[in-house]
Amino acid sequence: MKAASILLVEDDHIIAANLQEQLEQQGYRITGHATNSDEAMALFQKERPDIALLDIELNGSTLDGIELSIALHTISPLPILFLSSHDKREFVERAKQAPMVQYVLKSAPIEQLLIALDTAFATFYARRPAVVASVPASSGSGCALYAAQDFFFVRQDYRHVRVEVADIRWIEAKEHAVKIVTDTKVIAFSVRLNSFLEQVPHPALMRTHRSWAVNTRHVVAYHRGRVMVRYREGTQEIPLSDKWRESFLSGLPNLRAD
């Protein structure tokens, strides 16, 4: 698991430094700072960030922020948040024409910026045809899940944490929450197991029990009521109930004898 990565495009070095410090304090990871569209395109190609913060007016740049957002989307679509020092109507209206973006003033407090980032994630993933729309995990939980095909973001206290499906070993239900286990970390998330699997419908994530699901890519053996999952330097036993046994086995590439 890792923090969501941000490409910051801002021609004012002082503003950029302040933004970077504030966002890193909130748990985000700044992949790079560009001052013009050429630098931004190069960083984007190299780092492939999860979201971009773009200044609309980039002095001395080939493209302004709005034109840059369109160029980035032609390479690989991503959530975009525009930054501007003023709310001129012409820029606001042009920003609305750009693909899947949000808009916030540079003078806005950090709380408003964090909300705008969250909205940018939610808007982007809700519109993606191959992606499950994000929904609040539970009433008042303060968490949300944004899921793509091979990864998802968990939002907790405005911080977006990226989890790769390939890293998951198993998922365990704990009352109204789930515990997502990887080789290096455990993250608790306030959502029911059924809802989690619906929001992250990855074929490798298979239910084995009312309270358990595993990543079949890490299954090393199964026998009767147990599934052995590769975990750190050894394995972990996960229960396999009769109710889920048939559907679980049907999802495994078993070799049949002649």
Side-chain angles (χ1 to χ4, degrees), residues 8 14 21 32 49-50 52 84 98 111 117 122 131 136 163 168 229 254-255 257:
L8 177 58
I14 295 177
E21 180 180 7
D50 298 315
S84 183
E111 293 80 10
L117 282 168
V131 176
V163 182
I168 296 174
V229 177
N254 287 296
L255 182 65

Side-chain angles (χ1 to χ4, degrees), residues 54-86:
L54 308 181
D55 184 7
I56 291 181
E57 296 180 276
L58 295 170
N59 294 322
S61 177
T62 306
L63 305 175
D64 66 18
I66 297 172
E67 294 167 334
L68 175 59
S69 73
I70 296 172
L72 294 178
H73 268 268
T74 62
I75 301 172
S76 180
L78 81 165
I80 287 177
L81 177 61
F82 282 138
L83 297 168
S84 183
S85 56
H86 48 68

Side-chain angles (χ1 to χ4, degrees), residues 19 23 53 81 83 104 108-117:
L19 284 170
L23 290 169
L53 265 65
L81 177 61
L83 297 168
V104 68
I110 183 61
E111 293 80 10
Q112 187 173 334
L113 175 59
L114 295 174
I115 291 172
L117 282 168

